[in-house]
Every structure is written in C-alpha cells, then in structure tokens.
C-alpha cells in the first residue's frame, strides 16, 4: 500500500467519520478499515501546501479504466443521501482508492471479478487549489 498525501482538514474530518461509523451497520462501512489504514499511513500536510495534482476530498478527477479504455469524471465526496450525479463516496472502494493519489498514478483494487485498474488522468478540480487561485 502506497502512502497517501492528505490535508490536515481532510484527515480530521475523515478520522471523525471513521470513529462515528465504527459501531454502525451501514453497507459501505466494510471499507472503514481500509480507510482507517490509509489514514494511519498518510502524510499529512497543510491545505495550502498540497500539490494541485493530488486527489483531496471534493476533488473532481478524470479517470481511465485501463482494461476497457473508458474515461469518466468522478467527484470524491463524503457519504450522503443526496449524492451528486458523478459523486463517489470516500467509503466506496474506488473512493478510498483515489484519496491522496496524484495525476498519473494507477490505482488497483479488488472487485468480485478480479482486479480493477484505473489511471488518474488529471485532477480537474481540487478545492485547495481553487482557494489558492482566488
């Protein structure tokens, strides 16, 4: 498992999410342990110092499925009832896999039919970079 880069504010919010959900029985809670392991191994940085090509919470990324060639945009979000159309929860396998990786990285995770491989083509929008530019 590669160590991820994450902002202090994302780390704090995600750690609270993990702690709140540990004793619940939501269907996506099976990925809490994976998220917790990612957080335990993360390099935590000030939001003003995170590179613009790193996937943070609420980032929109363009991915390519390396097996099918399909390209698609996703927005990494906190779990919620009103999910954006292209939203992917941090507690979904792909969401946990995206966090803290950068443009150019290939992410892999197990699915029932084997291993799925996606390449992060670009970080289309990252909130920390947007704030720095304004």
């Amino acid at each position: 498992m590669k160590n991820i880069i994450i902002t202090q504010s994302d780390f704090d919010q995600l750690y609270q999410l993990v702690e709140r959900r540990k004793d619940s029985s939501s269907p996506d809670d099976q990925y809490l342990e994976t998220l917790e392991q990612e957080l335990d191994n993360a390099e935590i940085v000030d939001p003003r110092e995170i590179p613009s090509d790193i996937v943070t919470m609420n980032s929109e990324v363009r991915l390519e499925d390396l097996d099918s060639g399909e390209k698609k945009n996703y927005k990494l979000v906190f779990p919620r009832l009103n999910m954006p159309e292209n939203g992917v929860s941090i507690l979904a396998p792909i969401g946990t896999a995206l966090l803290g990786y950068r443009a150019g990285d290939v992410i892999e995770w197990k699915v029932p039919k084997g291993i799925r491989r996606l390449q992060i083509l670009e970080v289309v929008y990252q909130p920390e970079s947007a704030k720095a530019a304004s």
Side-chain angles (χ1 to χ4, degrees):
M1 182 185 307
K2 178 180 171 181
N3 287 357
I4 62 170
I5 300 171
I6 184 172
T7 65
Q8 182 68 57
S9 55
D10 282 351
F11 176 85
D12 292 343
Q13 290 179 71
L14 291 168
Y15 185 80
Q16 289 174 8
L17 174 69
V18 168
E19 288 301 307
R20 278 194 317 266
R21 291 211 169 196
K22 273 188 175 176
D23 296 323
S24 72
S25 59
S26 175
D28 52 21
D29 287 345
Q30 62 183 321
Y31 303 107
L32 279 175
E33 187 175 321
T34 303
L35 177 58
E36 189 171 30
Q37 289 172 356
E38 292 278 5
L39 293 174
D40 288 344
N41 295 312
E43 177 186 339
I44 301 167
V45 300
D46 184 289
R48 295 169 298 207
E49 296 175 6
I50 194 144
S52 61
D53 65 343
I54 299 285
V55 180
T56 62
M57 291 305 300
N58 298 305
S59 288
E60 183 176 348
V61 297
R62 182 142 183 86
L63 303 178
E64 179 178 3
D65 184 313
L66 294 178
D67 297 318
S68 71
E70 180 184 12
K71 296 176 183 172
K72 195 169 181 180
N73 285 26
Y74 292 96
K75 182 176 182 178
L76 183 61
V77 297
F78 290 94
R80 56 178 166 234
L81 294 176
N82 298 324
M83 186 71 69
E85 185 176 319
N86 67 336
V88 61
S89 168
I90 185 64
L91 293 181
I94 186 176
T96 304
L98 283 171
L99 180 68
Y101 283 78
R102 65 181 352 129
D105 285 345
V106 173
I107 56 174
E108 297 180 348
W109 77 95
K110 290 181 184 179
V111 293
K113 295 181 181 179
I115 301 287
R116 186 143 184 224
R117 298 177 326 120
L118 298 176
Q119 182 170 28
I120 302 171
L121 298 177
E122 75 175 301
V123 177
V124 177
Y125 171 81
Q126 182 203 65
E128 293 79 8
S129 293
K131 285 180 188 170
S134 58

